[in-house]
Amino acid sequence: EIVLTQSPGTLSLSAGERATLSCRASQSVSSSKLAWYQQKPGQAPRLLMYGVSTRAIGIPDRFSGRGSGTDFTLTISRLEPEDFAVYYCQQYGNSPTFGGGTKVGIK
Amino acid sequence: QVQLVQSGAEVKKPGASVKVSCKASGYTFTSYGITWVRQAPGQGLEWMGWISTYNGNANYAQKFQGRVTMTTDTSTSTAYMDLRSLKSDDTAVYYCARGPIIFDSWGQGTLVTVSS
């Protein structure tokens, strides 16, 4: 099983700031099969990104993803109020697994 | 629009079973697999497995092998997840999601509480 470790656990930022979230895999994720999800309290997760850097339908371009092998990053260029949430990475190169999540909170 | 609507909250005793349903609409049901993911209170997401809505073949996470069964009813576009021998640490919100590997639509979640 591929273990995904997300850091930091919590990020405290203000609206308008840049957020950089990390996801590290215990072994190489094949064919860039990495996705990101956003989850707000009391809601189901929402797909943000797949294939490392392809935004899902309706996701604004302030969200971007990059990385390969074992190290991946989700960047939110300028935080909007609706972006404060928990973010999960997920690999689907093997039996799917999720990271533990990064909470982006208001500073 | 794509919708996945799940059954309501359940309270079960340890050792019992629970069956959660997930009714799909807004797309061709047999064109996408259905995955089940759970989330314990205050915790992260855990992949449980998925089922092909095309042929009914299921693939379960090793952790749940022997204790979970996923099925579908294509006549009603509904997927089911049956979890047996419930323990207190099975208390979680259970989600269905569209897709076998990436999940582009999710149900609203079903809270299953296991308590004596």
Side-chain angles (χ1 to χ4, degrees), chain A residues 50-94:
Chain A
Y50 60 94
V52 177
S53 59
T54 301
R55 281 185 296 275
I57 294 171
I59 302 303
D61 61 6
R62 64 179 180 273
F63 290 90
S64 63
R66 59 180 295 175
S68 64
T70 60
D71 289 299
F72 301 90
T73 300
L74 175 72
T75 300
I76 311 170
S77 59
R78 292 173 311 278
L79 282 164
E80 296 288 340
E82 62 268 26
D83 299 336
F84 292 95
V86 179
Y87 293 83
Y88 294 95
C89 58
Q90 176 231 338
Q91 65 80 23
Y92 51 99
N94 207 323

Side-chain angles (χ1 to χ4, degrees), chain A residues 11-73:
Chain A
L11 207 47
S12 296
L13 295 167
S14 302
E17 290 193 294
R18 181 184 190 90
T20 303
L21 287 67
S22 173
C23 175
R24 178 162 290 178
S26 60
Q27 55 187 281
S28 184
V29 175
S30 64
S31 304
S32 301
K33 292 180 178 177
L34 188 106
W36 291 90
Y37 297 81
Q38 176 193 67
Q39 187 179 34
K40 297 180 180 178
Q43 297 185 16
R46 176 174 74 143
L47 177 67
L48 289 178
M49 202 86 61
Y50 60 94
V52 177
S53 59
T54 301
R55 281 185 296 275
I57 294 171
I59 302 303
D61 61 6
R62 64 179 180 273
F63 290 90
S64 63
R66 59 180 295 175
S68 64
T70 60
D71 289 299
F72 301 90
T73 300

Side-chain angles (χ1 to χ4, degrees), chain B residues 86-98:
Chain B
L86 290 168
K87 302 167 281 190
S88 58
D89 62 4
D90 290 318
T91 293
V93 175
Y94 289 76
Y95 292 102
C96 63
R98 188 178 79 160

